[in-house]
Amino acid sequence: MRKKKIFCGVGLPLTLILITLFTGCPEPGTSITGYADNSGGLVYSVWVGETPRAGDWLTITFMPGKKVICSFSIDNSTNEWEYTFNTAHTGTITNPAGGWSPAPNGFTISGNTLTITNYGSHGGALREFRRVRQANLTVEPVPFTLGALAGDLVYSVWAGETPRNGDWLTITFMPGNKVIWSFSIDNTTNEWGYAFDSAAHTGTITTGLPWNPAPGGFAVSGNTLTITNYGGHTGPREFNRYR
């Protein structure tokens, strides 16, 4: 299985079963112990933004165990690295297990902005990402200016929490009637097909084997996307538009 490089490469999507609830993480918002530095203060925070690749969207989620999950929409791929973070508000992202190279090296945080200081580990310029969820699970207002929504939803990004503790789901509509779902809690992604009626503002997400079940119907109202029967068992679920 090949994992995605930060700047180029192809990832292999992982199977997700929506009805499975994650139970392996500590309760969000509780004290995370066992950190010699300040890394625990980032656990469950989420940072998002565009990459240099046209149409791409990157979601960065810090998780327990000093793990950082990076999910890319352009090729439906994810990376799992390790990180450190200190009281000077600077950190590192490392790749101790081999593969998944290169890791993006250092980062800094100032307020609600995370800056990767050498994006792609090959001389790239600084790259900024905005915080959309704090470590205590407070979801912040959308930090981007939103343009007109395409009639087929292509390149629009929607995101929010799922019923699983600490999870963050990013939904990205891509060309070719593809929709990418990226989950932070277990570092998995799905790629489904979709259809959308721009007049009725309703659509359907269809099964893309072997990732069953697909979530079915959805509706768009303004900057909110509602999955009408999330996971087949929890009723409607709303997601905010970020691009």
Side-chain angles (χ1 to χ4, degrees):
M1 179 182 297
R2 289 187 297 169
K3 284 284 188 176
K4 172 181 183 309
K5 296 181 180 180
I6 186 82
F7 204 75
C8 60
V10 178
L12 183 64
L14 302 174
T15 301
L16 172 83
I17 300 176
L18 282 173
I19 59 175
T20 302
L21 296 179
F22 184 87
T23 58
C25 282
E27 284 292 323
T30 60
S31 176
I32 307 294
T33 60
Y35 293 93
D37 54 15
N38 200 38
S39 300
L42 291 182
V43 172
Y44 295 119
S45 67
V46 180
W47 312 73
V48 301
E50 297 178 322
T51 82
R53 299 186 297 175
D56 197 16
W57 188 262
L58 170 57
T59 301
I60 303 170
T61 310
F62 293 92
M63 301 298 291
K66 291 191 176 181
K67 295 179 180 180
V68 57
I69 307 299
C70 294
S71 301
F72 300 80
S73 67
I74 199 72
D75 54 7
N76 184 23
S77 61
T78 66
N79 277 357
E80 179 184 304
W81 288 301
E82 292 186 4
Y83 75 95
T84 65
F85 187 63
N86 59 40
T87 55
H89 299 161
T90 64
T92 63
I93 297 177
T94 60
N95 182 23
W100 316 329
S101 291
N105 292 320
F107 66 95
T108 63
I109 291 178
S110 177
N112 68 345
T113 300
L114 180 150
T115 302
I116 293 180
T117 54
N118 188 16
Y119 187 90
S121 191
H122 46 66
L126 302 177
R127 199 79 190 177
E128 293 185 347
F129 300 89
R130 306 300 182 194
R131 188 178 64 198
V132 294
R133 187 179 73 183
Q134 300 177 27
N136 65 4
L137 299 189
T138 298
V139 177
E140 303 192 42
V142 174
F144 304 104
T145 300
L146 300 176
L149 183 63
D152 57 3
L153 304 182
V154 168
Y155 294 125
S156 67
V157 177
W158 314 73
E161 296 178 306
T162 82
R164 301 187 295 177
N165 283 341
D167 199 14
W168 185 264
L169 167 59
T170 303
I171 302 170
T172 310
F173 292 90
M174 302 298 291
N177 295 107
K178 295 179 180 180
V179 58
I180 308 300
W181 287 38
S182 302
F183 298 81
S184 68
I185 202 71
D186 51 8
N187 187 24
T188 58
T189 71
N190 278 358
E191 179 183 304
W192 286 301
Y194 78 95
F196 184 66
D197 184 334
S198 59
H201 306 293
T202 59
T204 303
I205 298 175
T206 57
T207 301
L209 292 173
W211 310 299
N212 284 309
F218 66 94
V220 172
S221 177
N223 293 320
T224 302
L225 182 148
T226 302
I227 303 294
T228 52
N229 191 20
Y230 183 89
H233 63 98
T234 60
R237 194 88 187 171
E238 294 185 349
F239 299 90
N240 293 325
R241 182 181 166 208
Y242 287 88
R243 182 176 69 184

